[in-house]
Amino acid sequence: MRKMLNEDLARLGEGKPKILFPEHHLSHAASAFYPSPFEEAAILTVDGVGEWATTTIGKGSGKDITILKELHFPHSLGLLYSAFTAFCGFRVNSGEYKLMGLAPYGNPEAERVQQWKKAIHDELIDVRDDGSMLLNMEYFNYATGLTMCHFPKWEKLFNLPARQPESDISQAYMDMALAIQQVTEEIVFTLAETARELTGCENLVMAGGVALNCVANGKLLRRGTFKDIWIQPAAGDAGGALGAALAGRHIWLGQDRTVDPADSMRGSYLGPEFHENDILRVVRRFGAPFTKYDDFGTLTSNVANLLTEGNAIGWFQGRMEYGPRALGGRSIIGDPRHPEMQKKLNLKIKYREGFRPFAPSVMEEEIGTWFDLDRPSPYMLMVAPVADKQCKPLPEGYNEMEMYERLYVQRSSIPAVTHVDNSARIQSVTKRTNPRYWKLIDTFNREHGCGLVVNTSFNVRGEPIVCTPYDAYACFMRTEMDYLVLGDYVFTKTEQPEWSEGENWIDQFELD
Ligand SMILES: [Fe+2]
């Protein structure tokens, strides 16, 4: 790798540049600590694998990072979770999120959930008191083969066939998702306790793919092991680029760090931004009718009205988000109170599994009104319960089991963003980092009494989030989205000409 980089960079004619190599987990650690709001913090990185480390515990202080403990390949919590992702018929490296979303449909009272948890502990893993663990490699294939696990051995262990991708998801796989989610949470909690003891720090920062498990994060926060937790929004390997750059700046160059009490990620709106000309180029190319608003207040008021009518609206403003979540720069939004909104977005717009829940974007000022969360969650990395006052009272004769028949979802006043276990994956929106999105939700709140919207990433299943105005218009036209807002321009689906992709459209779309 070093030789290849040197050769390619030398071709640029600048002589032989100096290459710094921050290790994979140091990059994760740097991406978590340096932009965090803490002067000092415990650092926990957990992923599949990078070089040889799979989990590290460290301490950040000022501009320094010290790694205190490392767990090495093939023993890996991330790869364990990925093996279950594969067994349940989802794609490794992207389907982990689906497995987490499926877990609340599992029945915690079911005997097999307990049996499977025991089987995991008895046969698959040996977890130590400090949260480190050994995997029984007789069951796993990733170290030497091309698959995650030895399927026949797993099928025998769990007495369940591996699920075929895209087939119907039976209750058994929901229960399995719950079993591995609970095991994962327990290990994360123990690792966090070890980090607390080793560092003596009262705050924690996290990165690595496992830090995207927002269900575990929310529970860890509520356990109170740490006073506060900050997670790098690009916690997966994409965030390694930022971490490597920050490690270079603070560790190798020794530059001081300035701590921003709200964090230094600028809302994670670090991607490309486009201008009016780029939007007008799309308009001209497709002869697309539009309404342009010179007054943003009028735009937000009209869009808020459209939301209450049950429309799904593409919302494209400013810089694109850095990291896996859409945070109101490239989002599809809707009214969370609408009973059909979840189904509409899943089936008609995102073309994905109907069970997958959506996240709310709530004005920071309104979090406590809607959720049991006492602090901001700007990056959709914390799951918390929907507030009791937003739920209709329990019907008479209520029993625990009814919960699994989606009772809570029907009870919630915001069903489109309430998961089956009455939880929500919260994004709080501030005026400071995204004034236009905040203004829209504020208008929705003032005019229609709802300080939150449904927010899902602006893309269809299997495709990346849209980046350019062209991408956004194409995605708008290829789905049943009702309206598209590009900056100050609003497009109505029923007014648009018939859609055809044309040839080589990517080449023809130049950027300013
Ligand atoms: Fe990683």
Side-chain angles (χ1 to χ4, degrees):
M1 186 68 79
R2 191 184 291 269
K3 185 167 173 280
M4 210 173 84
L5 286 171
N6 271 323
E7 283 171 4
D8 283 357
L9 287 168
R11 247 180 267 153
L12 298 174
E14 300 287 329
K16 195 180 169 198
K18 191 174 172 187
I19 297 178
L20 306 173
F21 260 95
E23 285 184 345
H24 187 90
H25 273 258
L26 178 63
S27 302
H28 275 316
S31 77
F33 177 61
Y34 291 126
S36 81
F38 310 130
E39 183 61 45
E40 200 178 86
I43 307 173
L44 178 59
T45 65
V46 191
D47 70 357
V49 60
E51 289 108 21
W52 293 102
T54 61
T55 297
T56 72
I57 292 174
K59 180 176 176 173
S61 182
K63 61 180 163 66
D64 300 318
I65 287 178
T66 316
I67 303 292
L68 302 167
K69 269 199 162 190
E70 275 191 7
L71 180 68
H72 280 194
F73 185 83
H75 309 296
S76 162
L77 181 56
L79 291 175
L80 176 71
Y81 204 87
S82 293
F84 276 87
T85 304
F87 188 75
C88 291
F90 301 113
R91 262 175 73 171
V92 170
N93 274 336
S94 63
E96 285 79 1
Y97 221 65
K98 297 184 188 176
L99 195 67
M100 184 186 74
L102 199 59
Y105 290 97
N107 177 359
E109 309 286 318
E111 207 174 304
R112 65 179 164 202
V113 172
Q114 302 312 319
Q115 281 168 357
W116 286 344
K117 280 176 72 177
K118 188 168 180 311
I120 294 169
H121 279 288
D122 288 351
E123 294 293 328
L124 298 185
I125 56 173
D126 176 11
V127 185
R128 308 292 167 82
D129 288 345
D130 62 0
S132 66
M133 61 174 179
L134 295 173
L135 265 62
N136 179 358
M137 294 312 291
E138 281 177 22
Y139 282 91
F140 297 90
N141 200 28
Y142 56 77
T144 50
L146 295 172
T147 53
M148 286 306 294
C149 47
H150 289 293
F151 286 111
K153 284 184 184 168
W154 280 50
E155 290 176 338
K156 201 169 156 221
L157 176 65
F158 296 114
N159 192 24
L160 182 73
R163 178 177 161 261
Q164 291 305 308
E166 306 297 326
S167 65
D168 284 346
I169 304 173
S170 67
Q171 185 62 41
Y173 298 100
M174 301 177 189
D175 289 346
M176 176 133 296
L178 179 63
I180 187 59
Q181 175 66 27
Q182 287 186 354
V183 169
T184 302
E185 287 168 10
E186 287 157 17
I187 296 171
V188 169
F189 299 157
T190 312
L191 287 168
E193 278 153 23
T194 306
R196 178 85 173 90
E197 275 164 35
L198 282 177
T199 62
C201 296
E202 56 181 14
N203 293 314
L204 174 72
V205 298
M206 290 199 288
V210 177
L212 291 171
N213 195 311
C214 43
V215 177
N217 299 342
K219 289 183 184 170
L220 180 60
L221 182 68
R222 280 194 294 285
R223 284 170 74 88
T225 311
F226 287 93
K227 197 172 118 193
D228 206 359
I229 299 174
W230 191 86
I231 301 156
Q232 163 57 236
D237 286 348
L242 175 69
L246 289 169
R249 176 185 170 91
H250 296 297
I251 297 173
W252 277 276
L253 302 178
Q255 287 187 19
D256 280 333
R257 166 174 173 251
T258 319
V259 178
D260 182 331
D263 89 36
S264 311
M265 285 300 290
R266 300 183 191 177
S268 214
Y269 305 106
L270 305 177
E273 174 174 40
F274 297 86
H275 300 285
E276 195 168 6
N277 280 346
D278 301 309
I279 298 169
L280 289 172
R281 192 168 289 137
V282 172
V283 165
R284 279 196 302 273
R285 178 164 167 71
F286 296 104
F290 61 84
T291 308
K292 191 197 172 191
Y293 290 83
D294 293 323
D295 174 39
F296 192 63
T298 314
L299 183 150
T300 56
S301 188
N302 285 355
V303 171
N305 280 333
L306 295 174
L307 285 171
T308 61
E309 291 163 12
N311 292 299
I313 301 172
W315 179 259
F316 180 109
Q317 301 286 345
R319 282 182 176 272
M320 190 182 180
E321 299 83 347
Y322 176 60
R325 305 276 86 84
L327 301 168
R330 306 287 185 274
S331 290
I332 300 169
I333 56 174
D335 185 339
R337 301 166 299 182
H338 210 277
E340 292 296 310
M341 190 51 69
Q342 182 187 7
K343 214 159 123 195
K344 174 172 178 172
L345 289 175
N346 266 331
L347 302 179
K348 293 191 167 177
I349 290 156
K350 305 277 288 202
Y351 304 117
R352 65 183 208 179
E353 299 91 337
F355 74 85
R356 297 186 58 188
F358 290 103
S361 292
V362 58
M363 309 163 57
E364 197 175 281
E365 300 84 340
E366 285 282 305
I367 292 183
T369 309
W370 298 91
F371 306 103
D372 257 347
L373 185 67
D374 61 357
R375 62 195 80 197
S377 168
Y379 304 116
M380 220 182 261
L381 286 166
M382 290 288 172
V383 165
V386 173
D388 275 349
K389 60 187 164 191
Q390 298 301 338
C391 298
K392 287 177 228 143
L394 291 169
E396 238 170 270
Y398 164 83
N399 71 66
E400 285 286 314
M401 290 308 293
E402 285 179 73
M403 183 173 144
Y404 311 108
E405 287 156 20
R406 314 196 88 224
L407 178 73
Y408 274 111
V409 175
Q410 290 155 14
R411 284 179 59 214
S412 169
S413 66
I414 40 173
V417 295
T418 306
H419 207 352
V420 65
D421 60 354
N422 203 35
S423 68
R425 178 165 47 100
I426 300 161
Q427 179 209 352
S428 55
V429 180
T430 66
K431 201 173 182 175
R432 190 177 69 102
T433 58
N434 195 337
R436 285 170 78 93
Y437 197 35
W438 182 90
K439 167 98 174 153
L440 172 70
I441 305 170
D442 181 51
T443 307
F444 193 49
N445 190 37
R446 277 187 291 104
E447 296 178 8
H448 303 284
C450 186
L452 68 160
V453 295
V454 183
N455 168 17
T456 182
S457 57
F458 198 149
N459 65 322
V460 290
R461 188 179 181 203
E463 288 196 358
I465 299 176
V466 301
C467 175
T468 66
Y470 175 89
D471 299 341
Y473 186 77
C475 185
F476 167 61
M477 292 305 293
R478 287 154 66 196
T479 62
E480 292 179 53
M481 217 179 297
D482 304 298
Y483 292 87
L484 169 66
V485 186
L486 288 177
D488 295 328
Y489 291 71
V490 177
F491 300 80
T492 304
K493 175 61 73 56
T494 52
E495 293 172 0
Q496 302 305 310
E498 202 171 320
W499 172 248
S500 72
E501 303 265 345
E503 290 167 31
N504 301 325
W505 53 264
I506 290 177
D507 298 341
Q508 290 171 30
F509 189 74
E510 304 155 34
L511 306 178
D512 277 341

